[in-house]
């Protein structure tokens, strides 16, 4: 149980910090420029919290645990990358396929970001467990 909580805390913390940097600094205007009127004036933080809390569980189960079992940070990174590409790809490619005027650049950038952040989130969970072992 302790391992699961540490993995979750490390993963969730990494996810929150990296996404705050991405959304608050790096890509601050990118999404608004790409999506325009589709965006809310401010995000719905309650819905966002549900995503972050659940996604961290998925990362732990599907990427961090296999990495702990194998003893390899690369397993966390690779499994996290695959999970991120699948999760963010589902959203972005579906939008590209079904929404009028959905910007292709939006899908490409968000897909790359999703793969990267999920890989780093899994690595964060793995290294949190490793640090306390």
């Amino acid at each position: 149980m302790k391992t699961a909580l540490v993995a979750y805390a490390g993963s969730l913390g990494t996810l929150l910090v990296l996404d705050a940097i991405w959304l608050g600094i790096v890509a601050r205007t990118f999404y608004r420029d790409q999506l325009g009127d589709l965006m809310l004036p401010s995000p719905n933080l309650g819905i966002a919290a549900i995503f972050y809390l659940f996604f961290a569980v998925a990362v732990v189960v599907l990427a961090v645990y296999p990495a702990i079992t194998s003893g390899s940070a690369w397993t966390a990174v690779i499994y996290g990358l695959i999970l991120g590409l699948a999760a963010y790809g589902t959203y972005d490619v579906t939008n590209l396929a079904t929404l009028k005027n959905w910007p292709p650049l939006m899908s490409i950038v968000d897909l790359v970001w999703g793969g990267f952040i999920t890989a780093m989130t899994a690595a964060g969970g793995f290294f949190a467990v490793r640090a306390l072992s």
Side-chain angles (χ1 to χ4, degrees):
M1 183 62 137
K2 177 184 171 187
T3 300
L5 292 174
V6 170
Y8 183 76
S11 295
L12 181 61
T14 302
L15 178 62
L16 293 173
V17 167
L18 290 179
D19 224 21
I21 292 167
W22 174 253
L23 295 172
I25 300 169
V26 177
R28 185 176 185 154
T29 60
F30 174 75
Y31 291 97
R32 174 124 1 252
D33 292 346
Q34 292 295 306
L35 299 176
D37 291 339
L38 289 174
M39 284 192 67
L40 294 172
S42 60
N44 183 325
L45 296 179
I47 299 298
I50 292 168
F51 165 76
Y52 288 117
L53 293 170
F54 175 74
F55 196 62
V57 170
V59 171
V60 169
V61 171
L62 299 174
V64 178
Y65 271 179
I68 292 168
T69 302
S70 73
S72 170
W74 284 113
T75 300
V77 169
I78 291 167
Y79 282 31
L81 176 66
I82 292 167
L83 175 59
L85 290 173
Y88 282 68
T90 299
Y91 170 78
D92 286 303
V93 175
T94 298
N95 286 343
L96 192 58
T98 61
L99 298 178
K100 198 184 314 181
N101 299 323
W102 183 263
L105 180 60
M106 173 71 193
S107 289
I108 293 166
V109 170
D110 205 47
L111 187 60
V112 170
W113 174 246
F116 174 78
I117 192 173
T118 310
M120 294 302 98
T121 295
F126 175 80
F127 286 120
V129 169
R130 181 68 68 83
L132 292 179
S133 296

